[in-house]
Amino acid sequence: EKPQTPPPLGIAFDTGMARASDALALAMLYGLNGKNEARLLSVTVSGSNMQAAAFCEVVGQFYAGTVSGAFGGAARTLPVGLSTDGKLTAALPLFTAPLARHDAEGRAVYAHNIKQMNDTADPVAVIRNALTTQPDGNAVVLASGPLNTLAHLLSLHAAHETLTTKCKTLVIAAGDLAADSEPEMYLRTDLPAARKVFADWPTPIVVCGAEIGRALP
């Protein structure tokens, strides 16, 4: 009897969506998901910006491909969780430019269904529910943004048990660990949340600081 192939690693992605690396990371995760090399469990935006959430939905639709109109364009994409207390609220060209593109007939090139807050989901519930679908120890939470959503997750009833059982690692793509560096944007945006996550998160934490990105070239 052949041994069962282990399921692909599940990844819950919580992003500030305020810099190009966030968009590239989201695209890479959807690409890995499409090749079944990983499973993108959830996408949540830790800044309170509906256009950032809409951009995340557009990226999901791009990688999901076209679907029948009978089922709706968003039927194969993940619901986008959006924080209501995030502090990164600026409308950035990173996501406003593609959302503003129209074709020769005046139709949006990248259509989306997020027009108001009710079109997004509670990010804490999105992450919690996504993790509960995973086999034990088969999920990673990847944070590339302020840690306010994860701090709220830690305050949720029974979150500690869910994280301990389902999540094997928290990866934080933020901070700057180089000597004499300035406080990094995402962590300084919500220092109390960062302190809570580093103090109370129940699994191992891996921090990938900005100096890693600077060294890549």
Side-chain angles (χ1 to χ4, degrees), residues 35-109:
K35 294 163 65 177
N36 206 37
E37 294 181 5
R39 184 182 176 202
L40 184 56
L41 303 175
S42 63
V43 178
T44 52
V45 179
S46 52
S48 303
N49 191 305
M50 282 193 296
Q51 288 183 311
F55 175 80
C56 290
E57 184 181 86
V58 163
V59 174
Q61 290 180 0
F62 178 84
Y63 280 92
T66 57
V67 295
S68 166
F71 295 97
R76 285 168 51 189
T77 61
L78 294 169
V80 178
L82 180 62
S83 169
T84 58
D85 68 349
K87 299 174 184 177
L88 293 176
T89 57
L92 302 175
L94 170 68
F95 42 79
T96 60
L99 293 177
R101 289 185 61 185
H102 289 78
D103 61 19
E105 284 74 38
R107 295 172 298 195
V109 174

Side-chain angles (χ1 to χ4, degrees), residues 3-20:
Q4 287 188 332
T5 303
L9 181 70
I11 301 175
F13 184 44
D14 183 56
T15 176
M17 197 47 69
R19 49 196 183 193

Side-chain angles (χ1 to χ4, degrees), residues 26-217:
L26 181 61
M28 183 184 72
L29 290 171
Y30 270 114
L32 293 172
N33 187 84
K35 294 163 65 177
N36 206 37
E37 294 181 5
R39 184 182 176 202
L40 184 56
L41 303 175
S42 63
V43 178
T44 52
V45 179
S46 52
S48 303
N49 191 305
M50 282 193 296
Q51 288 183 311
F55 175 80
C56 290
E57 184 181 86
V58 163
V59 174
Q61 290 180 0
F62 178 84
Y63 280 92
T66 57
V67 295
S68 166
F71 295 97
R76 285 168 51 189
T77 61
L78 294 169
V80 178
L82 180 62
S83 169
T84 58
D85 68 349
K87 299 174 184 177
L88 293 176
T89 57
L92 302 175
L94 170 68
F95 42 79
T96 60
L99 293 177
R101 289 185 61 185
H102 289 78
D103 61 19
E105 284 74 38
R107 295 172 298 195
V109 174
Y110 303 112
H112 62 86
N113 299 296
I114 295 179
K115 311 296 183 184
Q116 55 188 354
M117 287 296 295
N118 285 345
D119 298 326
T120 66
D122 174 11
V124 173
V126 167
I127 296 173
R128 176 201 60 197
N129 294 343
L131 292 177
T132 59
T133 67
Q134 288 299 286
D136 290 355
N138 193 61
V140 166
V141 174
L142 170 58
S144 176
L147 300 182
N148 49 298
T149 295
L150 299 189
H152 288 315
L153 176 63
L154 289 171
S155 301
L156 197 68
H157 179 66
H160 188 280
E161 180 181 354
T162 299
L163 292 171
T164 303
T165 303
K166 302 296 184 179
C167 177
K168 65 179 185 177
T169 312
L170 167 62
V171 178
I172 299 176
D176 193 336
L177 308 183
D180 302 321
S181 62
E182 293 294 321
E184 191 267 344
M185 176 184 70
Y186 277 156
L187 294 189
R188 74 169 183 256
T189 298
D190 196 333
L191 284 174
R195 292 190 179 104
K196 180 176 179 61
V197 170
F198 279 109
D200 297 343
W201 193 268
T203 77
I205 300 174
V206 176
V207 178
C208 179
E211 72 283 355
I212 301 297
R214 289 195 297 268
L216 284 176

